[in-house]
């Protein structure tokens, strides 16, 4: 985040022939402090799955429009608190904005919809295959060659996906969840594509995600009017307040505040530590689902989740050694 404007003491007058005394500037944050602030994003991101499940009574496109709108307003509020113009946040090159909207809306839209068809724990873990898919895309695009550990991690992750959709798992009564698993997988593909191409399309302010949230909210609302029930306000009146609160909080927290904290952390903190902590998100979010009673711990979740989390950990280790 930009530093606050330095203040000038009104009684400190310059001596004749001397220039004005330099304004004191605030000391930059320590690496440790900035890393700690950035790690708060991981904790906030871990709540996204629980908020999505709690808000499942809201129609998917309405949920997305409300969540992205809340996230956009959070970015606007952050700029106003820093004394900056929110209009500067909109200065994002069109290719970058389109990529971010596709990544955000595609990932979150498919993820929220997947939760309507499949158990939350499995959907949550499958959607976090995106780091492994990103490694594959970077290799296919010739941007970075995957290491042996990254390849092994990808194999483990996809083995976990296969376990979730295997006929043996379907025999336990989860066969109807296949569509939800596929949606969660495509959600991971969307965010992996966005993450892999974002480095090739630099530009825009640090909080360009705020502009993407605003556009995504408009697109989701427009799609709902085109293909959904036109009486969205009346439908929201029949939804429990907890679901609407979850819709707002997922926008303010995981889509808004978390991105601001993460941006601060990677700019001033230890990026290697933060990148490692980020891989804890699927584990923490799944544990939170179970603590809140929104997901059930079964042997299938332990085995499939263990394979996916193990694959992510190996890929992270391979990336640090490369």
């Amino acid at each position: 985040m930009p530093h606050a404007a330095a203040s000038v003491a009104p009684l400190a007058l310059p001596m004749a022939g001397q220039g004005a005394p330099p304004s004191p500037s605030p000391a930059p944050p320590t690496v440790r402090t900035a890393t700690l602030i950035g790690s708060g994003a991981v904790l906030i991101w871990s709540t996204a799955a629980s908020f999505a499940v709690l808000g499942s009574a809201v129609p998917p496109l309405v949920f997305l429009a409300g969540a992205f709108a809340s996230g956009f307003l959070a970015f606007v509020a952050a700029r106003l608190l820093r004394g900056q113009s929110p209009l500067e946040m909109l200065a994002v090159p069109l290719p970058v904005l389109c990529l971010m909207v596709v990544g955000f809306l595609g990932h979150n839209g498919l993820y929220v919809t997947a939760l309507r068809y499949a158990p939350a724990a499995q959907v949550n873990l499958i959607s976090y295959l995106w780091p492994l898919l990103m490694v594959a895309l970077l290799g296919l695009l010739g941007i970075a060659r995957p290491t042996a550990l990254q390849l092994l991690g990808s194999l483990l992750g996809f083995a976990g996906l296969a376990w979730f959709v295997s006929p043996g798992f379907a025999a336990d009564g989860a066969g109807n969840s296949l569509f939800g698993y596929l949606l969660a997988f495509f959600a991971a593909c969307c965010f992996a594509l966005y993450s892999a191409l974002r480095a090739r399309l630099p530009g825009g302010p640090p909080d360009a995600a705020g502009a993407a949230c605003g556009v995504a909210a408009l697109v989701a609302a427009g799609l709902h009017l085109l293909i959904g029930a036109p009486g969205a306000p009346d439908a929201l009146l029949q939804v429990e307040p907890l679901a609407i609160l979850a819709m707002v909080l997922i926008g303010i927290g995981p889509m808004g505040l978390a991105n601001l904290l993460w941006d601060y952390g990677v700019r001033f903190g230890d990026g290697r530590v933060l990148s490692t902590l980020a891989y804890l998100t699927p584990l923490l979010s799944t544990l939170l689902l179970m603590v809140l009673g929104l997901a059930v711990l079964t042997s299938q979740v332990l085995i499939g989740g263990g394979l996916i989390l193990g694959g992510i950990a190996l890929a992270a280790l391979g990336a640090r050694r490369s």
Side-chain angles (χ1 to χ4, degrees):
M1 294 182 185
H3 296 304
S7 59
V8 179
L11 298 180
L13 300 177
M15 297 292 290
Q18 293 181 349
S23 302
S25 58
T30 64
V31 173
R32 187 174 187 178
T33 300
T35 304
L36 182 62
I37 292 174
S39 64
V42 176
L43 297 177
I44 297 175
W45 280 331
S46 301
T47 65
S50 298
F51 285 141
V53 174
L54 291 173
S56 59
V58 181
L61 288 173
V62 176
F63 182 89
L64 291 170
F68 279 121
S70 300
F72 172 73
L73 293 177
F75 278 101
V76 170
R79 273 193 166 265
L80 291 176
L81 290 174
R82 297 198 302 264
Q84 299 174 335
S85 171
L87 295 178
E88 297 176 359
M89 182 177 60
L90 304 178
V92 184
L94 185 59
V96 175
L97 183 62
C98 291
L99 176 64
M100 297 183 79
V101 171
V102 170
F104 291 1
L105 190 59
H107 172 73
N108 290 282
L110 292 170
Y111 174 72
V112 169
T113 306
L115 290 171
R116 268 72 172 176
Y117 294 94
Q122 288 88 320
V123 167
N124 187 54
L125 290 166
I126 292 173
S127 69
Y128 278 105
L129 282 170
W130 71 263
L132 306 181
L133 291 169
M134 179 182 171
V135 170
L137 285 173
L138 290 174
L140 291 174
L141 296 174
I143 300 176
R145 174 178 291 184
T147 65
L149 283 177
Q150 288 176 317
L151 290 174
L152 179 58
S154 298
L155 291 175
L156 282 179
F158 286 110
L161 172 65
W163 174 264
F164 281 147
V165 300
S166 66
F169 187 32
D172 291 333
N176 295 331
S177 300
L178 178 60
F179 181 62
Y181 298 146
L182 291 176
L183 290 178
F185 177 73
F186 288 126
C189 290
C190 286
F191 205 75
L193 182 65
Y194 155 71
S195 301
L197 296 180
R198 181 64 178 95
R200 288 295 184 95
L201 293 174
D207 52 358
C213 284
V215 175
L218 294 176
V219 172
L223 288 174
H224 178 79
L225 293 176
L226 287 175
I227 64 177
D234 295 336
L236 283 178
L237 292 177
Q238 301 175 5
V239 176
E240 294 184 1
L242 180 60
I244 299 177
L245 179 62
M247 176 185 71
V248 174
L249 290 179
I250 196 175
I252 295 176
M255 296 180 184
L257 179 59
N259 284 317
L260 288 176
L261 294 179
W262 185 257
D263 177 68
Y264 188 90
V266 296
R267 287 173 63 195
F268 301 112
D270 191 329
R272 294 171 300 175
V273 173
L274 287 173
S275 63
T276 302
L277 290 175
Y279 289 106
L280 293 174
T281 307
L283 175 61
L284 294 177
S285 59
T286 303
L287 290 176
L288 183 59
L289 284 169
M290 295 174 180
V291 169
L292 296 177
L294 302 175
V296 180
L297 180 63
T298 63
S299 59
Q300 287 79 11
V301 173
L302 282 174
I303 296 174
L307 289 171
I308 291 176
L309 293 175
I312 292 174
L314 281 178
L317 181 61
R320 293 191 66 180
R321 289 186 175 181
S322 62

